[in-house]
Amino acid sequence: MIPEDTLAQLAHKIAACQLCTLYATRKFAVPGEGPADAQVMLIGEGPGFYENEQGKPFVGAAGNFLNELLAKAGLNRDEVFITNVVKCRPPDNRDPLPEELASCRDYLENQIAAINPKLIITLGRFSLAVFFPMARIGAVHGQIKKVNNRLVVPMYHPAAALHQPALKSTVERDFAHLSDTIKQNIAARPAQPHKPAEPEDPAESATQLSLF
Ligand code: URA
């Protein structure tokens, strides 16, 4: 069964959440959007100005660029689920604080469990750290990792790429390289039930959290 209710319940909880101080300055919380049975999930950092105004993820300039990147990977935005590590806008677009990341963590874990995507694309260093706390984005971007039954691909954040021309072509290339993996692993395979398994590389297990 597709866990629509679970995702919808999470969205309601997030909309009313007061676990950290970000609720006080938000206009709208941004739980995320996309199909409950999406095979691909993208995890960004946190809502910016436009996302806070609309309650939707990646609707500003970075969102437009993300749509282009998805197309390079052979994906449509309406077939993927997009969310962030923090669901409320940090004032002035500052980095999320450790206590804000910790407060939102269960929401993200529950979203991943409910959707059970085959592929997770992390956008930027904060979502990379959810899976690989010791990794550096400059060293691992574009690499396809296997974490239990799931593929995880760390990517540069689209906003960072927009601000640094040298990164733009890198992230475009990384998304384009993903298209073969998408064709082979995502579109062709029927959805499989969630089944936790051991990480492939035991060395990685120390850096992975309960979720995986
Ligand atoms: N940047 C993010 O990380 N997330 C958004 O939703 C928008 C911009």
Side-chain angles (χ1 to χ4, degrees), residues 132 145-148 198-208:
F132 304 106
K145 312 269 186 193
K146 191 123 188 230
V147 180
N148 293 340
E198 293 303 311
E200 272 197 342
D201 177 2
E204 287 183 352
S205 61
T207 65
Q208 290 163 12

Side-chain angles (χ1 to χ4, degrees), residues 13-86:
K13 282 189 186 168
I14 291 166
C17 180
Q18 298 193 355
L19 287 178
C20 78
T21 56
L22 291 181
Y23 83 88
T25 48
R26 75 180 172 222
K27 181 166 181 185
F28 288 111
V30 183
E33 69 177 5
D37 62 347
Q39 296 185 69
V40 179
M41 183 171 182
L42 290 101
I43 308 174
E45 182 177 318
F49 176 83
Y50 293 102
E51 291 77 18
N52 179 56
E53 290 293 311
Q54 298 181 35
K56 293 171 186 277
F58 282 96
V59 290
N64 291 334
F65 185 42
L66 180 60
N67 295 345
E68 287 175 27
L69 293 172
L70 287 170
K72 286 188 188 298
L75 292 165
N76 283 319
R77 181 169 171 135
D78 59 11
E79 67 182 309
V80 303
F81 190 90
I82 306 179
T83 190
N84 287 300
V85 286
V86 294

Side-chain angles (χ1 to χ4, degrees), residues 77-110:
R77 181 169 171 135
D78 59 11
E79 67 182 309
V80 303
F81 190 90
I82 306 179
T83 190
N84 287 300
V85 286
V86 294
K87 315 300 190 196
C88 297
R89 183 190 183 209
D92 302 320
N93 295 345
R94 64 157 169 73
D95 287 348
L97 301 174
E99 58 268 29
E100 294 160 356
L101 292 163
S103 296
C104 255
R105 180 58 185 245
D106 278 355
Y107 295 132
L108 180 62
E109 294 203 9
N110 284 316

Side-chain angles (χ1 to χ4, degrees), residues 138-151:
V140 299
H141 68 89
Q143 294 178 9
I144 299 161
K145 312 269 186 193
K146 191 123 188 230
V147 180
N148 293 340
N149 266 344
R150 232 188 284 288
L151 301 178

